[in-house]
Amino acid sequence: MLHRLQCDIVRMAGEKIGSLLTDMQNEDELFESAATLHAVEAQLLVMSQTLAHLAPELHARLNRIDWQGWGQLHHLLETDGPSRREAVWYGVRSLVPATLELIADLRKREPLWFQIDY
């Protein structure tokens, strides 16, 4: 059940990012809108924190996720690092879609990992 909950948190945050960026045409639009950027960064932080605390078994099954990229993004979001803009843009354009796709694929291949047990 923990696997499902963690993956649902990641999926919902990723979907929220997608909805926030729907009308944006390019990178500059995101970084010119302080409110949208703040909301996107908050969701990226939720995703990165959740991914950092995945159960080891689930982490191993998601071995194609860019763990280093997520770790760097997490660090930059928490510390306001100098290359934050690049990392945020890489996150929304690469990390988020790839991660959501890999989780969806795992759910299809191994549905038992995502069942709710009572």
Side-chain angles (χ1 to χ4, degrees):
M1 184 159 99
L2 176 62
H3 304 127
R4 180 182 176 139
L5 293 173
Q6 289 175 316
C7 288
D8 283 350
I9 291 168
V10 170
R11 181 184 49 79
M12 288 186 291
E15 289 173 358
K16 178 70 175 172
I17 290 168
S19 69
L20 288 165
L21 299 177
T22 299
D23 296 330
M24 302 234 162
Q25 301 298 316
N26 58 42
E27 177 180 358
D28 291 332
E29 274 190 65
L30 172 61
F31 291 95
E32 289 170 2
S33 173
T36 303
L37 178 60
H38 178 73
V40 166
E41 287 181 342
Q43 294 304 311
L44 286 170
L45 189 57
V46 166
M47 289 182 78
S48 66
Q49 289 171 335
T50 304
L51 290 167
H53 293 94
L54 285 184
E57 306 85 20
L58 187 55
H59 189 281
R61 282 180 165 67
L62 293 167
N63 60 352
R64 292 180 27 223
I65 287 180
D66 180 358
W67 295 112
Q68 183 178 0
W70 276 111
Q72 290 174 341
L73 178 59
H74 186 179
H75 176 73
L76 290 169
L77 290 170
E78 288 189 331
T79 62
D80 199 22
S83 57
R84 184 177 178 138
R85 180 180 172 134
E86 279 181 32
V88 167
W89 190 245
Y90 175 68
V92 299
R93 285 297 184 215
S94 186
L95 291 175
V96 170
T99 300
L100 294 179
E101 184 178 321
L102 291 168
I103 289 173
D105 182 57
L106 180 63
R107 285 181 91 136
K108 287 178 190 170
R109 285 186 292 116
E110 300 188 43
L112 294 177
W113 275 80
F114 300 94
Q115 288 182 346
I116 295 179
D117 300 310
Y118 291 103

